[in-house]
Amino acid sequence: MSFKRKDLLGLKDLSAEEIEYILDTAKTMKMILTSNNKRTPHLQGKSIVTLFYENSTRTRLSFELASKYMGASSANISSNLSSVQKGESLIDTGKTIDKMGTDVIIIRHPMSGSAKLLANNVKASVINAGDGMNEHPTQALLDMYTIREAKGSLKGLKVAIIGDIYHSRVARSNIWGMIKLGAEVSVAGPATLLPPFMEKIGAKVYSTVQEALIDADVVMGLRIQKERQKKGLFPTIREYARFFGLDEKRLMLAKEDAIILHPGPVNRGVELTTSVIDGEQSLINEQVTNGVAIRMALLYLLTRRSGMSETVN
């Protein structure tokens, strides 16, 4: 199989076979990443630009390191230090970057659909590093890779996603991808943070964390996204932690060998207790390593595609 997509914009329309192909490629890339010599010529002669309109540590740094480990010429643009501050539109910024011989543009933007808008107006491949509350495909891919690495496969697994589902592009991408790979996805959180369409896309919705956690193979906590929220969606952080936070007692409802994930950054003592974050079942740090491997795989596949094809919406 070859990867013929021009862009990676989301997992909604990506096939199970394409997802597995990306994960298989990432396995090879992780071998390189964890070796003594991380320098490879896979992207020699290629130009990668990260264009971030929102703050990021893990996603941005992992893309930049992935580019450098594979020999690409890389540059990064922050909106607060660019011509965006002078009123330049996203399309014009994209076209400017495109005309500089860029092969891949990685974009993070607060507007849903921004990655697709950019992809439709540039020749370069576009990778969505998070667009508004829509999707975050590379995070979901690294989450699925981490699960597959720990469990062998996602088929037949029960995955419980707990927290701010409404604002989470990570949850959306994971639900699309995990269900395609055969997992059963349950979600739980405050009623005000559960969008009404979750069941329509295949997730099981529970009103309490306890119900969602029963016999779960994988438990994923989500960050409370205070920057996207309006007031009144839940009383206080303390109340949230009391009723929806993941602690050792609640996790006893999941299977004994359940693994714990979180996309980061974690609000310690809110979404997860410190004992859970640093516990033996936690693979949160491993997710960070796998994030670099996934992004190495995507950069490789998008710059090696044979011909141009449709984008991933």
Side-chain angles (χ1 to χ4, degrees):
M1 178 181 178
S2 61
F3 197 78
K4 297 182 179 180
R5 305 264 182 169
K6 170 183 172 285
D7 313 292
L8 182 78
L9 307 183
L11 300 190
K12 182 179 179 181
D13 295 323
L14 207 61
S15 69
E17 291 75 21
E18 287 172 308
I19 294 172
E20 292 281 11
Y21 189 61
I22 294 169
L23 301 185
D24 289 341
T25 306
K27 185 176 181 180
T28 301
M29 294 303 172
K30 188 171 181 180
M31 292 173 64
I32 296 171
L33 180 62
T34 55
S35 69
N36 291 328
N37 182 15
K38 297 179 179 65
R39 294 287 181 180
T40 77
H42 289 86
L43 295 183
Q44 190 170 354
K46 301 297 181 181
S47 174
I48 314 295
V49 172
T50 53
L51 175 62
F52 276 47
Y53 290 74
E54 290 182 322
N55 294 332
S56 170
T57 300
R58 291 159 185 78
T59 303
R60 182 171 188 161
L61 184 57
S62 63
F63 267 118
E64 291 177 4
L65 288 175
S67 301
K68 291 176 180 179
Y69 289 156
M70 300 174 75
S73 299
S74 61
N76 63 78
I77 301 172
S78 298
S79 61
N80 62 332
L81 299 175
S82 71
S83 292
V84 170
Q85 295 298 313
K86 301 176 183 178
E88 186 172 62
S89 70
L90 172 60
I91 292 176
D92 287 340
T93 298
K95 287 182 176 179
T96 298
I97 297 169
D98 201 36
K99 289 297 182 181
M100 293 183 180
T102 303
D103 295 291
V104 181
I105 302 173
I106 302 151
I107 181 171
R108 169 169 286 197
H109 198 284
M111 181 183 75
S112 296
S114 54
K116 184 174 183 179
L117 176 65
L118 178 64
N120 289 342
N121 285 277
V122 297
K123 292 181 179 179
S125 291
V126 172
I127 298 177
N128 181 7
D131 63 327
M133 299 192 309
N134 181 37
E135 283 215 50
H136 193 348
T138 63
Q139 177 66 47
L141 287 166
L142 76 87
D143 293 339
M144 289 186 284
Y145 181 89
T146 304
I147 295 169
R148 196 177 77 161
E149 191 175 52
K151 298 292 187 180
S153 170
L154 276 83
K155 190 172 183 179
L157 296 184
K158 179 179 178 181
V159 181
I161 303 178
I162 310 297
D164 184 359
I165 309 295
Y166 183 83
H167 298 95
S168 179
R169 54 198 178 198
V170 173
R172 285 167 177 76
S173 288
N174 265 308
I175 291 168
W176 290 123
M178 289 178 179
I179 289 175
K180 287 175 182 178
L181 295 192
E184 174 190 307
V185 182
S186 301
V187 298
T192 50
L193 297 178
L194 286 172
F197 56 81
M198 284 290 102
E199 290 181 335
K200 292 182 179 178
I201 65 175
K204 294 186 177 182
V205 180
Y206 292 95
S207 57
T208 68
V209 172
Q210 288 84 345
E211 289 177 291
L213 289 175
I214 294 173
D215 292 329
D217 298 283
V218 180
V219 179
M220 179 183 295
L222 295 176
R223 183 175 65 87
I224 289 297
Q225 299 190 36
K226 291 178 285 186
E227 73 276 13
R228 299 186 194 278
Q229 292 186 15
K230 297 177 182 178
K231 292 182 179 180
L233 292 181
F234 57 88
T236 64
I237 291 294
R238 180 179 295 180
E239 287 291 303
Y240 177 89
R242 178 184 174 188
F243 290 103
F244 300 99
L246 297 172
D247 56 21
E248 290 178 322
K249 183 178 179 181
R250 283 193 174 132
L251 289 173
M252 290 177 68
L253 295 167
K255 289 184 179 176
E256 189 176 349
D257 62 347
I259 59 173
I260 312 301
L261 306 178
H262 192 292
V266 186
N267 294 303
R268 286 179 177 261
V270 180
E271 301 110 21
L272 285 76
T273 61
T274 291
S275 60
V276 170
I277 296 168
D278 299 329
E280 292 182 0
Q281 293 171 275
S282 173
L283 295 182
I284 295 172
N285 288 331
E286 195 65 23
Q287 286 176 273
V288 177
T289 302
N290 292 339
V292 181
I294 281 289
R295 283 144 187 158
M296 288 171 71
L298 287 169
L299 290 173
Y300 174 76
L301 292 173
L302 288 174
T303 54
R304 290 296 188 276
R305 70 187 190 280
S306 54
M308 307 285 278
S309 186
E310 76 272 29
T311 59
V312 183
N313 296 317

